[in-house]
Amino acid sequence: MINNIKSKWKKRLKIALYIIVALLLIDFLLPTKIQNPVEGCGRESYNQKSFWHPWGDHMHNGIDIFAKKGTVVHPAIGGIVVATARDMKIGGNCVLIFSSGLRFHYYAHLSEINTHIGAIVTKKSIIGKVGDTGNAKGKPPHLHYSICSFIPQGDWRWEAKQIAFYINPIKELEK
């Protein structure tokens, strides 16, 4: 039985390593310029000073893009969906995408999720719709959008209690 378990984990680890190697190889071929993930939204849809603004006992590590509930959300950049979650206490319905630049893109407060773990997505894919789930319940519908990496890059910030470096999405959207 133990050999069976070891075999399963070896197989999973091998698949994970293949995915990581493939992503690193195509990282050089994929563009790194991002788009506003909320369809039809521009600069006026988010506060220019909301990244790293004090938010309760921590800093706001992304931006909130306000739009009508149900507005389509696309990936800001192509990549692979590495996680989805429903009814999270803070993020509500959320999606996490790994992309070029060794970055993770986090989309939270979705009213619905239209993707799944392992999906390869492009800027044209639909991953969800704007909502007010999680700790956004009762607030104006919006998408919380964050970019993070385990490697400091670009205009980044870091809190001692967090394990990732958060990249300023406003600077990235305006490139």
Side-chain angles (χ1 to χ4, degrees):
M1 182 166 161
I2 291 175
N3 285 337
N4 231 1
I5 293 170
K6 283 183 181 179
S7 176
K8 284 182 183 178
W9 278 105
K10 281 183 181 178
K11 189 175 183 179
R12 289 178 181 163
L13 181 60
K14 195 174 184 180
I15 291 169
L17 288 173
Y18 283 137
I19 290 171
I20 290 168
V21 168
L23 286 169
L24 289 172
L25 289 174
I26 63 174
D27 184 49
F28 297 103
L29 304 173
L30 292 174
T32 56
K33 183 163 175 40
I34 67 171
Q35 69 180 7
N36 190 314
V38 180
E39 194 168 276
C41 286
R43 241 180 139 210
E44 70 287 347
S45 302
Y46 55 88
N47 183 327
Q48 296 295 307
K49 296 179 182 178
S50 62
F51 177 70
W52 222 251
H53 187 77
W55 189 260
D57 65 344
H58 66 281
M59 302 303 278
H60 191 245
N61 56 19
I63 60 172
D64 293 335
I65 304 169
F66 293 88
K68 184 178 172 188
K69 187 173 185 173
T71 303
V72 170
V73 175
H74 300 280
I77 191 167
I80 185 168
V81 177
V82 293
T84 63
R86 297 187 190 285
D87 302 321
M88 298 277 291
K89 183 178 179 183
I90 295 174
N93 298 332
C94 44
V95 172
L96 184 66
I97 296 174
F98 182 70
S99 78
S100 59
L102 303 175
R103 294 177 173 189
F104 292 90
H105 298 259
Y106 175 68
Y107 307 83
H109 308 308
L110 300 166
S111 63
E112 62 183 68
I113 296 172
N114 301 107
T115 192
H116 57 86
I117 294 172
I120 306 270
V121 294
T122 68
K123 289 180 176 182
K124 294 181 180 181
S125 302
I126 297 174
I127 59 169
K129 295 187 177 172
V130 171
D132 62 353
T133 59
N135 66 355
K137 186 61 76 187
K139 297 175 182 161
H142 65 278
L143 173 74
H144 173 84
Y145 173 58
S146 299
I147 308 170
C148 69
S149 177
F150 295 107
I151 303 164
Q153 49 185 284
D155 180 11
W156 60 273
R157 303 286 187 274
W158 178 75
E159 279 186 289
K161 63 184 173 184
Q162 301 191 359
I163 60 170
F165 298 93
Y166 287 91
I167 298 159
N168 185 345
I170 296 168
K171 300 274 185 183
E172 297 296 312
L173 284 168
E174 293 176 356
K175 279 185 179 179

